Amino acid sequence: MVTTQFTARLTDSGDDPPIMPVASDATEPTEPLTPALHVAVPNAQAPRIMTLISPAIAIPFNSRIRQLQAFWNATPLPLIDPRRTQLTEEAHSFGPMIPFFKPLFSIAAIPAGDGTLEIRAFDGGGTQIASQSISGLTIVKPPAPIPTSTIAAMPHPRIYLPSRISAARSRSDVASQRFGAAVTAFRSALAEFPDVTSPQFEDRIYDPEDYIPLLGLQNQLAPDTNLAQAAHTLAMRIANDYDTGKRDFGRDTGYDIRFQLRDLMLAYDWLYNTFTPDERATIVRVGTKWIDWYHKTPGYAESWPVENYYAGYLQGIALVAVATAGDNPDADRFFTLLRSKLANEVPIMNQRLAGGDWAEGWNYGPYSVLELSLVNTLLKDIGEDWSVDFDWLQGLPSSLFFMISPDFNQTFSFGGYSGNYPDKTSPSTLAVLSSTSAVAGYLYASTNANPNNDFADIPADTFYEMIFARPSPPPPLAFTSSYFNSGTGRFLSRFGSYTVTTENTSYSYDHYGYANGDVRLYRDSTCLVCPSAYRGPAFDGEAVTPAFSTYTVNGRNQDLPLGRNNQNLFTISNPQFDAIGMRFESSWTSSRYDENIVDPNNPLDYMIREAVHVHPGTLVVRDLHRRRHASDTLIGRFHIGSESLKISRFYPTGVTVTMNNDLDGGGNRIGTLMQLDFASSTSPMELVTVFSETITGIGYANGVLTLSDGTRVIFANGTVSVQSAAARRRTVRR
């Protein structure tokens, strides 16, 4: 709901809330690290914006900023009240719902075109004290809708295949080999057990319904009556079960929409002529009831775009609308719903995923990214281009280039995980992305070539590879040793066989926001320093181990969906080193509401971590923090995965270091836990830790770290520099 307000105020909760007071006793580091106002997104990593802007605002704990306004080319922007959507977290427990740290501003009335977004910040009395401008942005309007009658006139199949089936028929490569193996396995089981609904068949082929799209595609490539009938039988079982209530749309708050509805709609489109008119009517009725249930109940995250259920739900709306147009009197209504979401909800993803990534991490990422990418593809295929919503996907292959280990053995995990999932790479997702990205094609081909890879999709999903995979040789890339996902706050640095990653997200909710300050070091796919979620032999119990190599404050891990005021202070990338500065004390605020981020009862004035990857494989971590009360307790953890690692520590008094076996929930040793216990103190603290297989730290004083090879790492004036021994010698000669 667009309001008549233009000023977001940081207030206490209530019907007439006062502006929050300033924490007058808070201090900042003596080195000026934090800007007065930090706006992480939107930015030029995803420059096109539509309908709304949701800047990620961050201020120091001692800031006087209490009011915000946004301007587009000097035109003030009105605020959106998000109380009827899930586009942003709840700002207050009651009273005004307009958030301060992630406000929503409407650009619906602004003409299309290039421009500059300016965020102005004011104190409680209305005096401007800071501003930040973001240039290189473009406002884009929604595309003209294609008439439903035009889509209804398209013959079946109309989803994905019309422009791609010819190329799929002529494939003779790794994608066709993987697809052919899955088809052969299904065909072999069918020959032995002709009833695909029997327990005997399901013992041979796990979850046969997942194979419906694969069987439908195989029938399009080379008609096969037996496979087509098997897919028909499985599809009608899905339709009849949901139509009669034997299965429930609401299972796990609507989870089934991600896969069963996809299977049903692809069967309807790809096997259209195998269904009788009555059977098609049943499928149409079920698809209609399913979308209506999810929209009206609502299902989980019905209006929350950066969430894995939403991705499957949006795909479901698109598939039902396109597949059943002409047979379904509600198709027009579903296109209206789809376009409303694409215009008013999905645009926020370009800002929150700027740089390309999936906020929840890469347990949930593969299918979410695939589903959203294919919504984009499907709509472009029918002539309605909504790609303005999906610019973040353009950066994703480059991000994955750094997330996949240099030996193409695994994808490094980020975000939260459900259960004991391994790190994994999705060939289906890489295949879909490869249709528009040579980088994704290179990753697909190279990971396929490693027999020890962690490809983890079910065999049935090879149908995606058959349609979309475009393996590529190494693309011509300009030199870069790092990549920064400004939306999710993940930083990735690679040199040779070594990779350093960090995670510091300013978004929250559900499966992400738990790893602020996390820092890791890998050699190829071998963990040197990483979260306890790394997998050793017989791993068991991720959820009951200290999850990430960061801090515990007052006995609390980062186990609440907080962190809206976290920020990444700087990133540096050059041939000699890469670095990032992270600030994340907001990970431990007292509750999820905006006003609690500046509550004087919070335990920290600041928690700042600078991570430096000195090429090729040395990780330097500098930590700065100050606790507010002598009663605030602090524990730091680093999880060590290799006995070959050399660790150098430059810590003040009052820090006790212990090294113990790192055990998972099953009691299995998965490495070494280096724990830092801090004595009671409110004094500012500075710690420097060096991790390397070859180099040690030999001295640290006044912001200068000296390494055993003569390299110096210099921390000063809110940034980092590195001087090699050779460069220093050249300077002396001059």
Side-chain angles (χ1 to χ4, degrees):
M1 181 179 66
V2 179
T3 71
T4 58
Q5 298 174 247
F6 292 87
T7 303
R9 301 164 70 242
L10 180 53
T11 65
D12 204 343
S13 58
D15 295 325
D16 186 21
I19 285 179
M20 293 298 296
V22 174
S24 58
D25 61 338
T27 64
E28 286 288 297
T30 54
E31 180 186 343
L33 281 162
T34 308
L37 172 68
H38 184 83
V39 184
V41 294
N43 58 51
Q45 279 190 308
R48 296 191 295 174
I49 52 180
M50 182 169 60
T51 309
L52 57 85
I53 292 174
S54 180
I57 304 298
I59 59 176
F61 189 69
N62 69 342
S63 175
R64 294 185 294 115
I65 293 174
R66 291 297 182 269
Q67 301 184 73
L68 299 169
Q69 294 177 1
F71 297 80
W72 178 265
N73 290 342
T75 298
L77 301 178
L79 286 157
I80 297 171
D81 186 337
R83 73 177 64 229
R84 294 182 179 87
T85 74
Q86 294 172 296
L87 286 178
T88 187
E89 290 87 24
E90 198 173 7
H92 297 292
S93 54
F94 68 99
M97 297 297 294
I98 292 173
F100 178 84
F101 292 98
K102 283 197 242 177
L104 295 168
F105 293 97
S106 174
I107 55 171
I110 304 294
D114 298 338
T116 297
L117 172 69
E118 182 188 7
I119 304 297
R120 299 177 188 172
F122 307 84
D123 65 15
T127 299
Q128 182 174 330
I129 55 178
S131 70
Q132 184 173 339
S133 294
I134 301 101
S135 59
L137 303 178
T138 301
I139 291 178
V140 178
K141 297 300 180 180
I146 300 297
T148 304
S149 58
T150 299
I151 300 165
M154 297 176 180
H156 296 279
R158 60 178 69 146
I159 296 172
Y160 310 143
L161 299 184
S163 64
R164 300 178 182 90
I165 192 68
S166 178
R169 287 194 181 104
S170 63
R171 292 198 87 110
S172 180
D173 61 3
V174 65
S176 61
Q177 292 165 14
R178 289 166 54 80
F179 176 80
V183 172
T184 297
F186 194 97
R187 186 180 277 127
S188 175
L190 190 62
E192 188 173 355
F193 304 107
D195 181 2
V196 293
T197 65
S198 68
Q200 294 85 356
F201 188 89
E202 293 187 353
D203 284 342
R204 284 285 301 276
I205 299 294
Y206 177 74
D207 202 353
E209 290 174 357
D210 281 335
Y211 282 74
I212 291 172
L214 177 137
L215 302 175
L217 176 59
Q218 177 60 35
N219 191 64
Q220 290 288 333
L221 297 172
D224 186 310
T225 302
N226 290 335
L227 296 183
Q229 183 57 48
H232 174 280
T233 299
L234 292 167
M236 287 312 302
R237 182 172 69 172
I238 293 174
N240 288 324
D241 281 359
Y242 284 105
D243 193 38
T244 61
K246 185 176 181 180
R247 297 193 217 184
D248 182 5
F249 297 139
R251 187 185 76 86
D252 197 7
T253 61
Y255 179 84
D256 291 357
I257 202 168
R258 298 199 60 185
F259 301 106
Q260 275 73 40
L261 184 56
R262 174 206 67 175
D263 296 342
L264 194 58
M265 289 301 106
L266 291 182
Y268 188 87
D269 186 51
W270 295 356
L271 296 163
Y272 187 81
N273 291 326
T274 72
F275 297 105
T276 67
D278 284 346
E279 288 172 332
R280 287 199 288 269
T282 298
I283 294 173
V284 168
R285 183 169 59 251
V286 168
T288 300
K289 289 165 60 178
W290 209 327
I291 298 300
D292 283 341
W293 178 90
Y294 208 98
H295 180 55
K296 295 174 182 178
T297 302
Y300 180 66
E302 195 275 339
S303 58
W304 192 294
V306 191
E307 218 290 339
N308 62 86
Y309 278 45
Y310 186 98
Y313 169 48
L314 192 75
Q315 176 184 248
I317 301 171
L319 290 176
V320 170
V322 173
T324 68
D327 298 338
N328 186 354
D330 292 291
D332 248 343
R333 182 165 61 85
F334 289 147
F335 274 116
T336 298
L337 175 62
L338 177 65
R339 290 171 182 133
S340 174
K341 290 186 170 294
L342 290 165
N344 299 301
E345 294 172 0
V346 182
I348 207 168
M349 284 200 300
N350 259 354
Q351 298 166 46
R352 299 200 174 169
L353 300 177
D357 201 351
W358 185 251
E360 293 177 288
W362 289 91
N363 174 22
Y364 296 92
Y367 287 117
S368 303
V369 166
L370 184 150
E371 290 157 352
L372 292 166
S373 180
L374 289 180
V375 170
N376 183 34
T377 295
L378 177 57
L379 293 173
K380 285 196 288 188
D381 284 351
I382 65 172
E384 194 168 313
D385 187 353
W386 285 88
S387 60
V388 61
D389 276 337
F390 302 97
D391 284 342
W392 60 276
L393 286 166
Q394 303 307 308
L396 180 57
S398 295
S399 180
L400 287 171
F401 179 87
F402 287 87
M403 286 187 199
I404 294 177
S405 60
D407 56 6
F408 301 102
N409 192 67
Q410 70 174 60
T411 295
F412 301 132
S413 62
F414 288 93
Y417 276 62
S418 290
N420 181 20
Y421 281 91
D423 304 326
K424 61 183 182 179
T425 303
S426 166
S428 298
T429 302
L430 290 178
V432 168
L433 294 172
S434 74
S435 64
T436 56
S437 168
V439 175
Y442 166 64
L443 296 175
Y444 174 81
S446 300
T447 310
N448 260 306
N450 180 352
N452 297 315
N453 67 48
D454 67 341
F455 274 171
D457 289 346
I458 59 173
D461 281 352
T462 54
F463 81 90
Y464 288 119
E465 299 173 62
M466 195 66 177
I467 298 170
F468 295 104
R470 294 177 61 184
S472 304
L477 295 174
F479 174 82
T480 179
S481 57
S482 70
Y483 194 83
F484 179 52
N485 298 306
S486 57
T488 60
R490 295 183 185 124
F491 180 73
L492 306 121
S493 169
R494 172 168 298 168
F495 198 87
S497 60
Y498 289 96
T499 302
V500 168
T501 75
T502 69
E503 185 169 9
N504 185 41
T505 175
S506 62
Y507 296 116
S508 59
Y509 196 73
D510 202 5
H511 302 291
Y512 48 104
Y514 301 104
N516 297 315
D518 177 42
V519 62
R520 318 180 194 181
L521 171 65
Y522 298 89
R523 179 184 8 91
D524 285 319
S525 55
T526 299
C527 158
L528 301 177
V529 181
C530 53
S532 67
Y534 71 89
R535 269 66 181 179
F539 181 86
D540 176 32
E542 175 184 273
V544 292
T545 61
F548 299 97
S549 43
T550 183
Y551 284 96
T552 298
V553 180
N554 290 338
R556 276 178 51 199
N557 294 324
Q558 298 178 53
D559 54 357
L560 289 175
L562 305 172
R564 289 195 291 280
N565 195 42
N566 291 334
Q567 58 185 296
N568 292 286
L569 304 170
F570 63 82
T571 60
I572 301 171
S573 182
N574 61 44
Q576 191 178 7
F577 75 99
D578 305 307
I580 183 171
M582 301 174 283
R583 180 167 180 157
F584 53 101
E585 72 273 3
S586 295
S587 301
W588 292 278
T589 52
S590 57
S591 89
R592 67 185 183 271
Y593 304 122
D594 276 16
E595 60 266 28
N596 296 113
I597 290 174
V598 296
D599 186 343
N601 291 317
N602 286 341
L604 295 163
D605 277 356
Y606 55 87
M607 175 72 79
I608 294 172
R609 169 168 282 180
E610 295 170 281
V612 185
H613 179 194
V614 181
H615 301 161
T618 298
L619 170 63
V620 178
V621 179
R622 181 193 188 213
D623 287 334
L624 304 169
H625 42 71
R626 178 186 180 263
R627 286 171 280 172
R628 290 185 53 75
H629 319 102
S631 58
D632 291 319
T633 62
L634 186 65
I635 295 173
R637 292 187 177 96
F638 289 99
H639 301 274
I640 312 302
S642 172
E643 303 300 332
S644 68
L645 198 64
K646 302 176 188 296
I647 305 173
S648 307
R649 298 181 288 259
F650 301 94
Y651 296 170
T653 58
V655 182
T656 302
V657 178
T658 55
M659 308 289 282
N660 293 298
N661 287 335
D662 194 5
L663 305 178
D664 66 10
N668 306 296
R669 185 179 186 277
I670 53 174
T672 300
L673 173 63
M674 185 174 90
Q675 181 162 310
L676 284 58
D677 291 283
F678 292 82
S680 174
S681 177
T682 57
S683 298
M685 302 194 79
E686 178 186 25
L687 298 85
V688 173
T689 314
V690 182
F691 302 96
S692 177
E693 293 187 294
T694 58
I695 292 172
T696 59
I698 60 175
Y700 180 75
N702 301 318
V704 179
L705 169 70
T706 303
L707 302 178
S708 58
D709 66 350
T711 299
R712 288 183 177 177
V713 181
I714 303 166
F715 300 93
N717 302 315
T719 188
V720 178
S721 60
V722 173
Q723 293 180 347
S724 68
R728 289 167 52 213
R729 285 193 294 270
R730 287 194 295 270
T731 301
V732 170
R733 289 193 191 103
R734 292 193 189 99

